[in-house]
Amino acid sequence: MSENQYKFNVEMSCTGGSSAIEKVLTKAKNDSGSTGISDFSVDYETKIVLVKGTASYDDVHARIAKTGKKIVSSETL
């Protein structure tokens, strides 16, 4: 399966929001590679979350949404 890259613009009003997203994505990444997330970055200043891996868009979207943060926009790169 080929690796994908997704970009999400997420509303984060404080660093706690970025920490929550980092926590859920780190957990997914460390889950023995079974989730398909190989790398990610969360930038509080720009409100951008980048995710790389073989995970589906829907799976990554659901994981970020699970934090309660609003996803303003997203795209596959």
Side-chain angles (χ1 to χ4, degrees), residues 29-64:
K29 181 180 173 185
N30 293 336
D31 187 18
S32 303
S34 63
T35 61
I37 295 175
S38 62
D39 195 23
F40 69 88
S41 65
V42 179
D43 188 328
Y44 169 71
E45 294 295 321
T46 62
K47 315 290 191 229
I48 298 294
V49 179
L50 295 172
V51 181
K52 294 180 183 179
T54 57
S56 71
Y57 168 85
D58 290 337
D59 181 54
V60 176
H61 188 282
R63 288 177 187 278
I64 294 171

